[in-house]
């Protein structure tokens, strides 16, 4: 694999010529039937590596929403993880090691395995039926098509059966432990600690001792299978990464986002209301929040997205930190409601976990194609602040920032994530919660003018209107979607007033630019800037690093705030000879940049539902700079 | 607006400085007066009331009631009100809506709020027409109705709002008519006392686009013949000389000559039956204000409110796990520490670590 | 796909080349087989069928039926199907939907299509869960149900789909269960024969997220005790030895010991009653498949279909005014002519010229 | 009024020194209570002038949706018409003559009346109560505040009562004829023919002879009042305009649009299906179409907009020319459905009659603020063709063009109108229907490949997929919102396929540029181009003319196609030193122009719910060219 560093020493054990190769990083992919527990295996391998101190990044890939029949290609589920002894940013391009639990998994993934990579197959799954289901004419284990790889063939099913026979589990449950057998084998092959996995099993299934027994024995059996059969002539080691000191956890994007909302509510000293309707890939935020009612969280599973956004508007009026979440199709349904929240100038977070569109599209695949929709997806002039999370852990921070803006400026804020951020995971250095900003805003408690309470009397600095909640004596007022008279908030059809209010609302949002961080550019004045937003961060960063290591000078900047832009963005983009904007869409940020700054930026666009490979960005930069690899 | 709250109110306390903008003669004026007068009788501070509406003539209502209010978007008032009521059980939340707002575009939110029993008082102003958009037929317009959008007559079979509400698991269902202010006030009081969603259909005259739609129930000559008053515990009889009675035959509610049946057979109204079947049968006595039509409370039963159940879960979780601690939460998936010398020191296994684990 | 139509079909004719992608053991397979087999019994060409669905596991259905089909968006199948049925009375239009698709997000379209009586056959696969999104509670899930989105139990009081349909003026309402293919087929046949919207609730087992939800009606041991078969013209009795009977008491349907009542008292089922009250009462015998539950046709009455009324208006207008002539239409608001010498020569006054005239 | 041409001759009648001033054009505004019938009066005056041969343009202004109580300011309804002896393009800026039926009408409109203009007041409405309601402290008829104007005071109510006393109408109906009295007076003052009005009254109320009698007598009385009292010392004449020869009708935008849809259905030889939900200002299209069922039209008043668009999708699949219509809030609700139609590649017209937003906004006021919403108001990458009508009669043509594109390219098309186009009227030279393009497309009837019917096998030229409708043997297929495999249309999650389909859909729409007219520029290579779209056409055109008459050279171009743009647009805008883009929004077309062509165009933006005044555009151009007036 491109510029991977390997050092090999003789094995330590006297009665074996086993060697251990130490790598700076390695990419492993677990692939099997959705029934084979590959997500669990991957997550366990990840946690073990995290506990061991590696840096890592993961990329799970689920089958489409519908569960496909066992053994078929659409049924294949996989989980890729990259572990390293330095801070990496993506789950890697091509795997060094592939675990294929059945022919379909092999068929679907083998093309990605790098030549010379290690392939672990569950031989017993390679029978007539499964081969047919996967579309194999001949058995690849026999037709020599796999010679470019180091194959480890394992009769995983009988070995697992054997291993768990005394555990107490029986029937079709027995084979459920297959994934732990595979995991054990990989723990041996990559010299992973075993405790994190066994501990997890014990904690997770504490009420099912037989399951604990089965999984642990399968895990051990896999580990021992490696030792006893010396399944491979070399095992691999990846040293702990030298990450900045701190306490780390391995966090998934949707979970980090849920936690960020909880943190924001605490930082705002407000109760959290989450009104939503389930949709892939946003549902897990609901699932996570509904587990934590002891934080005083109220989750409302509405009858549809229109009700969800409506309930959030009501909750905002009533004095909650109101959040509504969905993905493309559901956000479309919320459009009219968001427009009301904008007109009523109520604080609210609208979370859009983007998936591949249009229409139902490819619900389990990531895409960044809702940026312009976030900017302009409402009738009338209704500009909204838009922020985007760039990685799983960044979702925590971005959620707090979204809440800060919503509350301080009394406006709905669109918070963009995507399937890649939402389901990916990475080590997260836990923040010192004491550093959380105080984002609380005082409710209005007394009239703000001699003529009583003026619900649309704007704050001199922020242009925000006061937030007076029901139950407050003397501040009774009515909000609504009809145009409001400045200050009084009464219905008004006065032409000058409509102009004034339109301008005020626009100005309020534009002015937020003065209250956000300047865009930081990483670099030293190269000729080319790679500008990104959202989940492309990892790929872009890694590509830039790789280019620099290769002596190619290139600068990088990544946007968290899409509207308004950081105030220095124009000056930044104008200061480069060339600006490259990689996006997982057909070119959306680039249209904003061109319209705002008349800069002839270049796009690198991908609409395949698969995140950028580092190499794709690297190649584009090289092409633009005319420096061949 | 900063007047100190006096223990008891006058109607004026619930009026705003906004000019009321309905057509002269509109039934909405009458209902507004009934509601304001009723609110004034309650010894409850103004700021504890919230009126939420959608879009329509009727939905202008909140602008004229000096409490908190939201004039939301078409059909969505129940959703907005749910967000308020679910998070603020201390408030009295009212929904004002129209036959188009509640039953056409807003139908889904209505049926769901009814089954959830959110503590809302829903006043549906049914004028059997789209007033605000200048006179198209609505889901309660009679078949064959000629309007701007149905010059050859409507071909839509209308809803019976009471039947629909009962089919949606409503715990409180009533019907009244704008002109009868004392009856309206009775119903408002009962709705206010009800714990849960109170659904009140109010027949309301649109004198511009659907004048006299309710004449059978409001006309001097007609009303005595057509008003079937449902009174809890009372036999259901009506007519100028109580000559008509309602009986149950073969599981259906039927109108008979009182003389023809012995008094014991006459159906005695019981709003509190757990089974909504009889209430439903009563709702089928009429399919619009065209002949004998029941007014009053069809059903009034108790079921826990949505917000009480929500609060109970929060309380239970807190009792069980203690108030949430963020620092603990973000460590709950297992942690490890990287110290200065950057050697990793593994933490104990991480329970609950498979947020994207295998669903099987 | 170009096979010539044989007068009668086999199931295979209604299968597509698409691999069926439900979880092994899913009740959807059984229903698919029942439907395909039923279609094959009809002597009707494949191209005259259209299957329209929303989103959900159940909504994948059209991909597996070799007719015309639309896999639309979540909850909107009745709307899409209305556009087809209203303009193409020559087709047989079916809607396949789930409890979330039809009753949660799609509730509004469902109740309106029922009242309009569009000629659609609606198959609601009720598995009391959101299957496709991996197991959240649905509007038919029982209270207290623990799911991904309700770890402490659902606090929503569920709908009774049959009650809701009856409250929505449905002309045909039935219930069956996936496992009983012959009963399912009977119901499909009746639905197909019905002129208007046929609403069929099909209890469907989701063995992954809500396994055995219907065991009371499908289990060998249980079903005899809990299946109340509604058969037109037959007294409603059930139980292993027909020891249970349904009677009407005080306007409510109640289950009694058959021995305890004289046979004449037992309710004889009549699907054709114009008044839906008794059908509604029967729907209240159960609030889910947890005990004795009626299966069969609750209501089957006739009312003109929406499309027949629509066509009638077109026909009437054409008969009255003759087929539309565009040239006449664009001149209908009055015209004047400017001739070469550009002197204006006024045309007779323009009737009907106040498209934005005064509404009073 | 700015460059109005007037010539005065002595009156003809011997026993009177009455003079007649002939004007090239005059602007008249009728203002009164919504109960006073001003819209009818205005429409009658308009039709009479049309019949007389003037060119004209009208601008009705209704009170907000809610009917306000009689006599109040919000209750005021007005109708402005400009008549001329040449082809004008707008209803004019400031009226030369104002009819005020009550104090509120005076209060709300007097500021617009040009100094020296004629003011006709109904004195009897100026009592205590009405003055108070209008917010007058003193009676303006007495405090001299009206001296700048030529006032004609008329006790209209008693005169009307007197006039209609024998007609048979009684009670409060009597005063309903007030508007015809006023109309009669104006007919005299402006030397209008009387037959068109009396004819209309007779036709309209043929079943109510007493109403005919009342209105006609009131009309005559008003006319005679002018003669006998010589209410003004001069009357005014406006000669017939020298319009191109042809047969004309005076058409309202929404009606023209409805007729255009009927014409399109005939040109496509398809039945017309119109699925909608009422909303101001789009409802009148439904009202008009539902009157003409004898054209085989099926109108469906759905329960909401989501059902409306859904029904249109179904109707399109079933083989109809499917149309759905709404305004901003309703279009927002249709967004998810439109995305399905886009993915299913079904032909459909989505009519958006824009109103002032955001949220409920100002429903009776015009605005152009849904352009970017039309472009980007859907999740995922879902570009749609967008066309816009620029005047009431242009709505007919644009509707046919929208249908042509939808059918030929199998795509939903967004058709933009606005309140100004929809409720305004203008003389329309009736087209020769034989010239209507044949826009019919053949349905697929036989399989298009050896492997059967491929619903997504694209046409080589248009990239459109075939349209096979239910009932066609052997072409059974399934459409849906999930990503489709090229050709087969089967569900596909294949990355390369998603890229291909995304590109194909985008290319299909972009390619339409080669099938539309080049943008025509009116001018002779001036330095400045005024570029517009939609309802601003009239104001821009008039301003450009006025500037040219004043010797200022300026070019003009107006866009009907907003997406894709005419292929020469880039070259056109790049060829000017300055490009001015006036829009009734905060700058939307200009963002597209800047992003596409990196041209530093300048915006003139108005968000007051009132159309541009000619003078505003003129002033902006003068400022840009630095040529003071
Ligand atoms: C999304 C949306 N669709 C349509 C409208 C237009 N609209 C406003 S009110 C209304 C119906 C009003 O009828 P109803 O609810 O019966 O109220 P009423 O005016 O009769 O009191 C309609 C169609 C709108 N404002 N918003
Ligand atoms: C607008 C929109 N919201 C939400 C979703 C996500 N979603 C797809 S199917 C579904 C519910 C499925 O439940 P049900 O209708 O009962 O069908 P089942 O899978 O149980 O057969 C949901 C919430 C979506 N696809 N579109
Ligand atoms: S239109 Fe009808 S409902 Fe609306 S205000 Fe006027 S009278 Fe009342
Ligand atoms: S999730 Fe449930 S409903 Fe969906 S396919 Fe699997 S078993 Fe069937
Ligand atoms: Mg109404
Ligand atoms: Mg379900």
């Amino acid at each position: 694999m491109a510029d991977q560093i390997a050092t090999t020493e003789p094995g330590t054990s006297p009665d074996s010529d086993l060697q251990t190769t130490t790598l700076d990083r390695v990419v492993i992919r677990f692939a099997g039937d959705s029934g084979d527990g590959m997500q669990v295996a991957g997550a366990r391998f990840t946690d073990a590596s995290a506990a061991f101190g590696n840096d890592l990044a993961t990329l799970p890939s689920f089958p489409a929403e519908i569960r496909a029949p066992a053994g078929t290609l659409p049924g294949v589920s996989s989980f890729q993880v990259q572990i390293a002894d330095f801070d990496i940013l993506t789950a890697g391009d091509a795997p060094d090691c592939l675990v294929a639990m059945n022919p379909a998994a092999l068929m679907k993934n083998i093309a990605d395995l790098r030549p010379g990579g290690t392939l672990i197959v569950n031989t017993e799954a390679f029978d007539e039926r499964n081969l047919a289901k996967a579309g194999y004419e001949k058995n690849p284990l026999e037709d020599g098509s796999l010679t470019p790889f180091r194959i480890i063939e394992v009769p995983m099913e009988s070995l697992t059966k054997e291993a768990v026979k005394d555990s107490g589990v029986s029937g079709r449950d027995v084979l459920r432990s297959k994934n732990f057998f595979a995991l054990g084998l990989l723990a041996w092959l990559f010299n992973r600690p075993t405790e994190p996995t066994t501990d997890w099993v014990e904690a997770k299934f504490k009420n099912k001792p037989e399951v604990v027994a089965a999984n642990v024995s399968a895990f051990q059996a896999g580990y021992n299978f490696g030792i006893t059969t010396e399944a491979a002539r070399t095992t691999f080691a990846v040293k702990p990464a030298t990450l900045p000191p701190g306490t780390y956890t391995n966090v998934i994007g949707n979970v980090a986002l849920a936690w960020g909302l909880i943190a924001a509510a605490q930082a705002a000293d407000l109760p959290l209301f989450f009104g939503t309707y389930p949709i892939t890939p946003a549902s897990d935020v609901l699932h996570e929040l509904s587990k934590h009612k002891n934080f005083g969280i109220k989750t409302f599973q509405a009858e549809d997205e229109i009700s969800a956004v409506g309930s959030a508007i009501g909750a905002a009026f009533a004095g909650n930190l109101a959040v509504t979440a969905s993905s493309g199709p559901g956000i479309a349904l919320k459009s009219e409601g968001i427009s009301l929240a904008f007109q009523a100038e109520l604080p609210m977070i609208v979370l859009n976990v983007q998936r591949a569109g249009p229409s139902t599209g490819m619900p389990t695949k990531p895409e960044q194609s809702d940026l312009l929709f976030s900017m302009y997806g409402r009738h009338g002039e209704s500009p909204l602040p838009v922020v985007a999370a760039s990685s799983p852990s960044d979702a925590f921070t971005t959620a707090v920032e979204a809440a800060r803006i919503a509350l301080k400026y009394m406006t709905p804020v669109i918070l963009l994530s995507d399937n890649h951020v939402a389901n990916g995971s990475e080590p997260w250095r836990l923040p010192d919660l004491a550093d959380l900003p105080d984002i609380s805003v005082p409710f209005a408690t007394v009239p703000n003018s001699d003529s009583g309470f003026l619900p649309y009397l704007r704050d001199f600095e922020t242009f925000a209107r006061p937030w007076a909640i029901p139950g407050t004596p003397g501040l009774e007022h009515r909000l609504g979607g009809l145009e409001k008279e400045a200050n009084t908030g009464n219905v008004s059809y006065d032409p000058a007033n409509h102009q004034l209010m339109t301008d005020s609302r626009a100005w309020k949002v534009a002015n937020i630019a003065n209250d956000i961080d300047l865009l930081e550019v990483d670099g030293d004045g190269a000729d080319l800037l790679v500008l990104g937003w959202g989940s492309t961060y990892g790929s872009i960063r890694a590509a830039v690093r790789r280019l620099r290591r290769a002596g190619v000078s290139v600068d990088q900047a990544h946007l968290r705030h899409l509207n308004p832009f950081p105030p220095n963005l124009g000056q930044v983009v104008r200061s480069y000879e060339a600006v490259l904007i990689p996006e997982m869409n057909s070119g959306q940020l680039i249209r904003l940049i061109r319209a705002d700054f008349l800069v002839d930026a270049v796009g690198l666009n991908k609409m395949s539902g698969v995140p950028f490979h580092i190499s794709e960005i690297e190649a584009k930069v090289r092409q633009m700079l005319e420096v061949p690899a | 607006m900063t007047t100190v709250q006096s223990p008891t109110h006058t109607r004026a306390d619930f009026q705003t400085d906004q000019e009321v903008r309905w057509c002269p003669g509109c039934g909405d004026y009458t209902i507004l007066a009934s509601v304001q007068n009723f609110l004034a009788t309650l010894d409850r501070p103004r700021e504890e009331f919230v009126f939420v509406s959608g879009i329509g003539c009727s939905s202008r209502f909140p602008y004229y009631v000096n409490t908190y209010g939201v004039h939301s978007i078409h059909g969505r008032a129940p959703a907005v009100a749910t967000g308020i009521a679910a998070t603020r059980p201390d408030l009295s939340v009212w929904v004002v809506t129209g036959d188009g707002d509640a039953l056409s575009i807003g139908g889904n939110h209505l049926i769901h709020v009814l089954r959830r029993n959110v503590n809302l008082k829903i006043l549906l102003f049914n004028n059997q027409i789209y007033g605000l958009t200048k006179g198209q037929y609505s889901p309660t317009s009679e078949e064959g109705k000629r309007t701007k959008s149905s010059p050859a007559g409507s071909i839509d079979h209308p809803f019976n709002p009471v039947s629909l509400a009962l089919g949606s698991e409503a715990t409180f269902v009533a019907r009244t008519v704008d002109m009868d202010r004392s009856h309206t006030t009775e119903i408002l009081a009962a709705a206010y006392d009800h714990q849960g969603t109170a659904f009140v259909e109010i027949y309301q005259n649109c004198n511009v686009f659907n004048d006299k739609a309710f004449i059978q129930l409001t006309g001097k000559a007609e009303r005595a013949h057509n008003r079937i008053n449902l009174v809890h515990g009372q036999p259901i009889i009506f007519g100028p000389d109580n000559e008509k009675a309602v009986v149950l035959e073969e599981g259906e509610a039927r109108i008979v000559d009182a003389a023809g049946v012995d008094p014991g057979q006459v159906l005695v109204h019981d709003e509190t039956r757990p089974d909504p079947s009889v209430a439903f049968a009563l709702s089928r006595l009429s399919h619009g204000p065209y002949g004998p039509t029941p007014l009053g409370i069809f059903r009034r039963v108790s079921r826990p409110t949505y917000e009480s159940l929500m609060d109970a879960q929060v309380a239970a979780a807190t009792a069980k796990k203690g108030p949430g601690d963020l620092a603990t939460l973000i460590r709950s998936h297992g942690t490890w520490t990287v110290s200065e010398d950057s050697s990793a020191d593994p933490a104990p296994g991480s329970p609950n670590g498979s947020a994207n684990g295998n669903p099987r």
Side-chain angles (χ1 to χ4, degrees), chain A residues 289-312:
Chain A
L289 287 174
S290 55
K291 281 184 209 153
H292 306 300
K293 294 218 158 64
N294 58 323
F295 282 80
I297 300 166
K298 290 185 175 175
T299 59
F300 172 57
Q301 180 176 307
E303 60 273 21
D304 59 25
E305 288 84 355
I306 299 174
S307 168
V309 69
S311 69

Side-chain angles (χ1 to χ4, degrees), chain A residues 386-408:
Chain A
V386 180
V387 294
S390 56
S391 78
S393 66
D394 186 57
F396 181 94
T397 321
T398 310
V400 176
E401 174 65 357
R404 183 189 72 88
I405 294 174
L407 295 167
K408 181 169 178 182

Side-chain angles (χ1 to χ4, degrees), chain A residues 197-223:
Chain A
T197 302
T198 48
D199 292 350
W200 179 87
V201 170
E202 276 150 18
K204 178 83 176 172
F205 303 104
K206 55 171 144 3
N207 314 330
K208 301 204 190 106
E210 72 287 0
V211 175
V212 173
N215 287 341
V216 170
S217 351
F219 181 70
Q220 300 297 5
Y223 198 92

Side-chain angles (χ1 to χ4, degrees), chain A residues 357-372:
Chain A
S359 195
T360 310
M362 307 196 298
T364 56
K365 306 291 175 210
E367 203 162 274
Q368 297 183 294
S369 50
D370 293 351
L371 174 56
L372 290 174

Side-chain angles (χ1 to χ4, degrees), chain A residues 63-66 277-282 305 326-333 352-367 369-370 373 419 607 609:
Chain A
E65 282 176 299
I66 294 278
Y277 183 71
I279 186 168
T280 303
E305 288 84 355
S326 192
S327 189
I331 299 293
L333 289 167
N352 178 356
V353 184
Q354 299 167 95
R355 61 189 219 182
S359 195
T360 310
M362 307 196 298
T364 56
K365 306 291 175 210
E367 203 162 274
S369 50
D370 293 351
F373 179 51
N419 222 328
M607 284 291 292

Side-chain angles (χ1 to χ4, degrees), chain B residues 22-23 26-28 57 127 131-132 204-209:
Chain B
W22 288 309
C23 305
C26 175
D28 291 351
C57 296
N127 55 11
L132 187 64
Q204 170 247 327
N205 191 44
C206 167
N207 53 301
V208 169
F209 295 112

